[in-house]
């Protein structure tokens, strides 16, 4: 990525930039005042972000449009803006436990083509990277997009990513990737700028930019799958911590005498409320081979055992999240991951424990909702990572005709 202006102010602008792009995409032709109203951003922030997008050739003024009915400049029609989403494309690559998903989108995050394939859980990193390289070529062909129009790729991995090096840390979910400089490897294969982050962070970014957290400045995203992690958006900024490990909620101690966790400690939240832990609890009554999707299905059909373990898991997650709520005072807790599809069967337990364990005022302020992007949150987050980091990269794009002024 192009070297950006550093600092937290800059990071805040990145999410705000996505929200402005989103408003432009949703409405088509829109005034600066209306963008400010829809995003909750100040008019001066909107003006400066729009100026930046104009400089990048992504936003054009349509002053020839007829006066809007709600012009507020004493009869002078507001200048309307439109977004040139066709000025380039971004690629999102999402590795999960046993799937690889690749999507290509225009610059307003509208997906143009998408493919998915199964991956062996024990695959080696270079096998996964090669498969992704192949899938990228296929989705670009599906979308009829020249490689020269791609501004960059974002990659999602379900494990701790050391920032800013992009090296994968210790993870039992993708054991073949530990120690691999994932972003560099992918950059060499694709010959494109590549940014990488973990699944909880990218799903948090996607929900904050396009999903359930669009109006929130401070939110915690809880990813509940075989692993458990939190993505933190604080003051409009994705918070990664000093080396990218912020939000490792799955390894918070909840049961000192509990099962040994893959991290080496005992009784981590993940050993109590992760999908694998629930499958273990249900083995005696439901046999082998339950995964998150099946657990949710059974619970929805009214199966008492699965409803019980989901409610207990929700309570355990809520107890751990209560500490986050007390420390960070978020306005929103978004629950995502495999088990989020259980909805209130899981979320009511989270709410109950927050009510018991968090400060009453902090608990009241934190609304608990399910994510709205489902299992596409990560790939959308990978795309959002490109779009939010690509500031300054657009003038270098090979296409000059579209949006050039
Ligand atoms: Zn652990």
């Amino acid at each position: 990525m192009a070297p950006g202006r550093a600092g937290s102010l800059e990071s805040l602008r990145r999410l705000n930039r996505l929200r402005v792009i989103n408003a432009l995409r949703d409405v088509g032709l829109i005034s600066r005042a209306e963008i400010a109203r829809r995003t909750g951003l100040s008019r001066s922030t909107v003006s400066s972000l729009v100026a930046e997008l104009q400089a990048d050739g992504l936003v054009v003024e349509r002053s020839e449009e007829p006066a809007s009915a709600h012009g507020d400049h004493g009869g002078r029609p507001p200048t309307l803006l439109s977004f040139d989403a066709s000025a380039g494309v971004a690629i999102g690559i999402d590795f999960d436990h046993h799937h690889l998903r690749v999507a290509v989108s225009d610059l307003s995050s509208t997906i143009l083509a998408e493919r998915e394939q199964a991956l062996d859980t024990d695959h080696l990193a270079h096998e996964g990277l090669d498969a992704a390289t192949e899938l990228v070529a296929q989705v670009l062909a599906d979308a009829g997009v020249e490689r020269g129009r791609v501004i960059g790729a974002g990659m999602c991995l379900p494990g701790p990513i050391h920032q800013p090096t992009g090296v994968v840390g210790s993870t039992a979910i993708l054991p073949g990737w530990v120690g691999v400089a994932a972003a560099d490897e992918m950059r060499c294969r694709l010959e494109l700028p590549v940014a990488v982050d973990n699944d909880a962070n990218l799903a948090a970014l996607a929900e904050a930019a396009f999903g359930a957290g669009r109006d929130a400045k401070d939110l915690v995203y809880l990813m509940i799958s075989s692993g458990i992690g939190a993505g933190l958006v604080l003051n409009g900024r994705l918070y990664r911590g000093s080396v990218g490990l912020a939000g490792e909620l799955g390894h918070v101690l909840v049961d000192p005498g509990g099962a040994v966790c893959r991290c080496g400690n005992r009784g981590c939240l993940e050993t109590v409320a992760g999908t694998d832990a629930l499958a273990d609890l249900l083995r005696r009554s439901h046999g082998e081979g339950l995964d998150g999707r099946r657990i949710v299905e059974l619970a929805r059909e009214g199966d008492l055992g699965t409803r019980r373990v989901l409610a207990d898991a929700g309570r355990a997650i809520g107890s751990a999240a209560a500490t986050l709520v007390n420390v960070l005072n978020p306005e929103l807790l978004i629950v995502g991951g495999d088990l989020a599809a259980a909805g209130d069967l899981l979320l009511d337990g989270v709410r109950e424990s927050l009510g018991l364990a968090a400060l009453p005022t902090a608990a009241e302020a934190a609304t608990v909702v399910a994510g709205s992007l489902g299992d596409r949150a990560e790939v959308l987050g990978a795309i959002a990572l490109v779009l939010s980091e690509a500031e300054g990269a657009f003038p270098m794009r090979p296409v000059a005709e579209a949006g050039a002024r």
Side-chain angles (χ1 to χ4, degrees):
M1 300 294 156
R5 288 149 285 176
S8 60
L9 192 62
E10 197 50 39
S11 302
L12 171 60
R13 288 173 67 86
R14 287 179 173 162
L15 182 55
N16 289 343
R17 177 182 161 105
L18 283 175
R19 287 172 168 168
V20 168
I21 289 173
N22 222 27
L24 282 155
R25 177 183 65 168
D26 286 355
V27 181
L29 275 173
I30 187 169
S31 67
R32 288 174 178 82
E34 178 66 7
I35 293 175
R37 198 190 61 75
R38 291 178 75 100
T39 58
L41 299 171
S42 73
R43 283 204 186 202
S44 61
T45 300
V46 168
S47 288
S48 105
L49 286 166
V50 164
E52 207 175 271
L53 291 164
Q54 283 179 305
D56 287 346
L58 292 174
V59 164
V60 286
E61 287 190 356
R62 301 288 170 94
S63 46
E64 76 278 11
E65 291 300 321
S68 154
H70 47 83
D72 53 358
H73 293 276
R76 187 164 64 88
T79 308
L80 296 180
L81 304 161
S82 78
F83 184 67
D84 185 3
S86 65
V89 300
I91 290 170
I93 302 168
D94 170 33
F95 287 91
D96 76 8
H97 200 26
H98 35 228
H99 281 95
L100 164 63
R101 174 176 281 175
V102 173
V104 57
S105 84
D106 66 16
L107 297 183
S108 68
S109 306
T110 300
I111 303 284
L112 304 174
E114 187 171 12
R115 280 184 185 244
E116 192 183 305
Q117 77 175 50
L119 270 184
D120 185 353
T121 312
D122 298 323
H123 73 271
L124 296 170
H126 73 86
E127 295 167 336
L129 290 159
D130 290 347
T133 306
E134 176 61 27
L135 223 50
V136 166
Q138 289 175 15
V139 294
L140 288 177
D142 291 347
V145 168
E146 299 284 331
R147 183 168 286 257
R149 292 184 53 221
V150 182
I151 61 160
M155 183 157 69
C156 175
L157 291 169
I161 310 294
H162 189 278
Q163 298 289 2
T165 61
V167 173
V168 183
S170 173
T171 166
I173 298 179
L174 286 181
W177 286 71
V178 175
V180 172
D184 287 344
E185 291 284 341
M186 205 68 222
R187 197 174 294 134
C188 289
R189 283 169 169 78
L190 295 178
E191 297 179 320
L192 288 169
V194 175
V196 63
D197 209 330
N198 73 49
D199 49 0
N201 283 352
L202 290 182
L205 183 61
E207 291 288 356
F210 319 119
R214 280 172 73 157
D215 300 322
K217 217 166 75 159
D218 297 287
L219 67 86
V220 172
Y221 177 90
L222 301 171
M223 165 157 293
I224 317 296
S225 293
S226 53
I228 292 180
L232 312 174
V233 173
L234 305 178
N235 201 16
R237 175 192 178 194
L238 188 58
Y239 180 80
R240 295 186 170 97
S242 63
V243 294
L245 281 176
E248 287 291 342
L249 191 72
H251 302 286
V252 165
L253 177 75
V254 296
D255 178 9
V260 174
C261 179
R262 62 193 171 93
C263 72
N265 291 336
R266 284 187 75 167
C268 295
L269 176 63
E270 203 168 288
T271 67
V272 172
T275 310
D276 296 345
L278 270 53
D280 281 346
L281 286 169
L282 292 162
R283 182 165 291 127
R284 184 189 296 266
S285 55
H286 292 73
E288 302 285 338
L290 280 186
D291 60 7
R293 185 171 299 187
R294 184 67 189 135
I295 290 172
V296 170
E297 258 173 28
L298 285 166
R300 284 179 160 177
E301 288 163 11
D303 177 77
L304 290 177
T306 51
R307 289 170 88 99
R308 174 61 196 260
V309 297
L310 279 169
D312 289 344
R315 282 187 279 268
I317 293 161
S319 296
T323 305
L324 280 181
V325 167
N326 279 357
V327 171
L328 301 175
N329 184 204
E331 62 197 276
L332 201 59
L333 249 75
I334 302 177
V335 181
D338 293 347
L339 296 181
D344 287 341
L345 294 172
L346 180 76
L347 268 51
D348 281 344
V350 177
R351 295 181 183 114
E352 186 187 325
S353 285
L354 281 183
L356 291 170
L359 280 172
T361 319
E364 260 168 48
T367 307
V368 180
V369 298
S372 66
L373 301 174
D375 62 0
R376 296 174 87 211
E378 292 87 344
V379 80
L380 286 169
I383 286 168
L385 188 63
V386 179
L387 299 174
S388 63
E389 303 260 330
E391 203 171 303
F394 293 103
M396 300 190 303
R397 74 190 192 279
V399 280
E401 67 287 356
R405 294 168 305 138

